[in-house]
Amino acid sequence: MPYHHDKNNDDTYVSYRQSITKISGEYNYPVIELLDLMGVNSSNAAYYMLDSVHWNANGNDLIAKYIIETIKNCIDNNYI
């Protein structure tokens, strides 16, 4: 799940993240949690992102490595 900062919808976003995490846990599927991975917040978002939705080169490198590792773990654990 990507990071998207919108002070008008922060509560909705938190609720959305919690729901996805709960449902994925019920089905034993991993969640690629980009917000936690990147540690993005209003003070460091510019290091990883072009805007509040799109990643820059730093963010893309970090995300690609994490996604590759997650897919490898899924294959090793017969998730896919």
Side-chain angles (χ1 to χ4, degrees), residues 72-80:
K72 286 179 181 178
N73 287 336
C74 287
I75 291 168
D76 290 346
N77 291 301
N78 296 316
Y79 288 128
I80 54 176

Side-chain angles (χ1 to χ4, degrees), residues 6-70:
D6 180 351
K7 65 181 178 181
N8 297 320
N9 294 314
D10 279 349
D11 291 339
T12 302
Y13 185 71
V14 168
S15 176
Y16 169 77
R17 289 179 68 221
Q18 290 171 341
S19 296
I20 294 295
T21 301
K22 179 182 175 192
I23 292 167
S24 68
E26 290 172 5
Y27 290 94
N28 199 30
Y29 288 117
V31 172
I32 298 175
E33 181 52 79
L34 301 179
L35 178 62
D36 292 342
L37 168 70
M38 294 180 0
V40 175
N41 57 50
S42 59
S43 67
N44 69 2
Y47 181 76
Y48 296 108
M49 307 190 82
L50 297 172
D51 54 33
S52 65
V53 177
H54 302 96
W55 306 299
N56 63 22
N58 294 324
N60 285 328
D61 286 345
L62 182 64
I63 291 164
K65 290 174 186 173
Y66 186 72
I67 289 172
I68 289 167
E69 286 303 314
T70 301

